[in-house]
Amino acid sequence: MASKVLDPDNINENVKKCVYAVRGELYLRASELQKEGKKIIFTNVGNPHALGQKPLTFPRQVMALCQAPFLMDDPNVGLLFPPDAVARAKHYLSMTSGGVGAYSDSRGLPGVRQEVAEFIQKRDGYPSDPEHIFLTDGASKGVMMMLNALIRNEKDGVLVPIPQYPLYSASIALYGGILIPYYLNEESNWSLDFSDVRNQVVIARNKKIVPRALVFINPGNPTGQCLSVTNLQDLIKFCYKERLLLMADEVYQVNVYQDERPFVSAKKVLMDMGAPYSNTVELVSFHSVSKGFLGECGQRGGYFEMTNIHPQTVEELYKVASISLSPNVVGQIMMGLMVTPPRPFDISYPQYQAESKAIIESMRRRAHIMTDGFNKCEDVVCNFTEGAMYSFPRIKLSKAAMDAAAQAGKAADVFYCLKLLEATGISTVPGSGFGQKEGTLHLRTTILPLEQDMPGIMAKFQKFHADFMAQYSDYSVSSRL
Amino acid sequence: MASKVLDPDNINENVKKCVYAVRGELYLRASELQKEGKKIIFTNVGNPHALGQKPLTFPRQVMALCQAPFLMDDPNVGLLFPPDAVARAKHYLSMTSGGVGAYSDSRGLPGVRQEVAEFIQKRDGYPSDPEHIFLTDGASKGVMMMLNALIRNEKDGVLVPIPQYPLYSASIALYGGILIPYYLNEESNWSLDFSDVRNQVVIARNKKIVPRALVFINPGNPTGQCLSVTNLQDLIKFCYKERLLLMADEVYQVNVYQDERPFVSAKKVLMDMGAPYSNTVELVSFHSVSKGFLGECGQRGGYFEMTNIHPQTVEELYKVASISLSPNVVGQIMMGLMVTPPRPFDISYPQYQAESKAIIESMRRRAHIMTDGFNKCEDVVCNFTEGAMYSFPRIKLSKAAMDAAAQAGKAADVFYCLKLLEATGISTVPGSGFGQKEGTLHLRTTILPLEQDMPGIMAKFQKFHADFMAQYSDYSVSSRL
């Protein structure tokens, strides 16, 4: 019989090439187990509300009113909503052309883009132009749009830190480019190793690959490190020298759990450096409502800001954005709310402050609980989660465990994570999904389970790990026989 | 000086190739004029709320409660929300893993996909499998995902009706494929001309193009025709014989303004035909919350259903969907609400019925007002808008007008539409944005201005048209001199 048009053998090769581990084998198995009634702790993806984090009250009040503006004509509205939420809902609705049910401009609502520009200006101390800001359905969609425009053919390469967030590897594969890996240095807390960056560019060029862009994630995903200003300066100088577009994934900028290196944006560092950097280095910076203390992943709000990008290319990107008409308007308003929190004299200010502070402070404590918990295990080493939402412990497995994995036809880290899932319900992602130095094995987990659940989860992990290591010990009775 | 990485000369050629007229030159000029203070009637895009259509009350009540679930713990909730809205909000929230702020599965919430399957089953009388339904950020994103998977290289072709909705031409260009045009027959109300479809496939194959899929839009955009069951059977037989994927754009299925040919889905026709069609022809059907009577464009909710698609390819599409994590959850719930309206015994039923009926009945009247209004003009011919949201009148321009357009460096229809915009504020899209038979000129406008505004708008158009024709008459004093 003739094959189908959409036979797997007949579809776009690039679609098949991409791999997305965060929702890969482990996630699929966890979903199956959940269907069978097993309690699963989904720490495979940074999805705070799924693990019990409550949404902040004020943004949700505003959003409810934006969805149902007729409530504001009801004399009882004041019984359920504070006046500053009503005022803010009116503010955002006035920016739309017909409420949240109308398409916006394909770059997003001009009013929200203005608010984002003001946020950036306040954060960095440098002007930001709303015409260079596009709102997107989450940061991922923005990253994909940029990579699609950047990658011209199968010789175009993008430098990506390894371990990396697989959005990058998957999108680069989907758009037919080449990922040029540069390795972060686990021994010095996942720091940037510039000699490796330089080296990889040389290797790539020798293979006739054209390096076009360099991605960094700060704070790091899955590695949790925070970059120093010096690191950022070096990256910018490198991009200047090598003529690379710098893609700054800064979605975790609020999730910082150490005080030595507060978040500084690539935009600010670039502007601080002055000419010839500040007026030539092409930079695209990404941000999102999904992370920080909002954690509003499901609302799909994101933006990117373009610096030193050719105006005609900005127009081309506008055209591409137009094909799917507009990002979702609810996510855009959530972005407006994120960058414009209640002011000190607003009625909702104290509650907003209390709620947001409680979340970030708890995340900081959880980062410690988790890192410490991993480091208490034999043959597990974990750098401190300085920022973002993940721990990425290294697991040293015995030969017996490696052999068992090979026999099961699984990569060793996948084997370990599957066993962990079956034994404890903890759903993680094997390090191979992010890339890891050959000979090393890791897993990624989020620090997002509720704080009160965290000690129990770490105890479960520790017990599992001890049992696993005992079962697959190279010196066990069975292997000595 | 060295050129930039993202110089327009240096970006992906496919990005540059795509054209998206709905937000093209006319839209940009209209936006400029609006900024200058001119009142613009945006009939360039099917965006009902932007032209004053009110959202339906019940779905927005549910959505408000989903955004602010804490309202349901408030003793005063009953003052602002009916109990069936509260019950429905709880129903949808129970489908999520943490409310609208949590990522869903990348294919969408299983509960909503189940509701979509039940809707399809009830509509068509055939089973529908939720595992073959993906929720998307509007139908456009689903179309783009399918085209990206389908198009393997620059020899893969997709048959698209001309005039067409430029989502198709733009996406096919973006993903590097070839658009194979088949022309609708304006003289017989934009009917399908099968001899042309067959002919175009032969022409394409002679050029070594591989036809892979056939797109149809029913009811048609921009042409407004409704396909007969016979048309659909012929399309299915053709796809069977030529091994083409059938892409059924059915987003306007509720927008039907004639009674002879009620909407019948391609899925139903395919199933009615039985083997070998029903079990082999690959079909993907698209639907949206943006059209119908909801018109919830800004919420970005859509779905596609796959029939006879290889299961492994479904898995590949799932993987691609995973890269951007999940469609926006609010749009998904809006889809659930669309396919599961209040039932006759629900408190909100009478209001929902009244609101939805009023919108569709008014659209039907507006379709008549608009078509009749165009046909009253000399040198304008307009097929009746049987369905969808658009009129696509043909304008016959004088030689003098054509010469003036050429002198201004504009296509003649662009020239006409720009003059219309400047004179009246009516923002339309030139027919060339959709494709039109050589030697013909059209414009697309929506039937969406409020009914009470419609006579005034048509009067403005008629006056403009008469003035334009007088100004550019081939027999005017100036041209006779």
Side-chain angles (χ1 to χ4, degrees), chain B residues 27-38 40 42:
Chain B
Y27 170 73
L28 296 175
R29 180 68 187 130
S31 302
E32 272 174 29
L33 288 171
Q34 191 182 38
K35 267 194 192 163
E36 292 166 16
K38 192 174 172 71
I40 302 297
F42 280 102

Side-chain angles (χ1 to χ4, degrees), chain A residues 453-471:
Chain A
D453 299 340
M454 202 60 122
I457 290 171
M458 292 317 292
K460 267 190 192 173
F461 174 81
Q462 287 160 350
K463 180 173 182 313
F464 160 79
H465 182 75
D467 291 350
F468 180 95
M469 296 313 248
Q471 186 184 352

Side-chain angles (χ1 to χ4, degrees), chain A residues 131-134 146 283-285 304-309 314 317:
Chain A
E131 295 295 304
H132 296 155
I133 293 165
F134 282 27
M146 288 307 304
L283 168 68
V284 185
S285 308
F304 59 85
E305 186 198 21
M306 295 170 277
T307 307
N308 295 322
I309 304 296
V314 175
L317 292 167

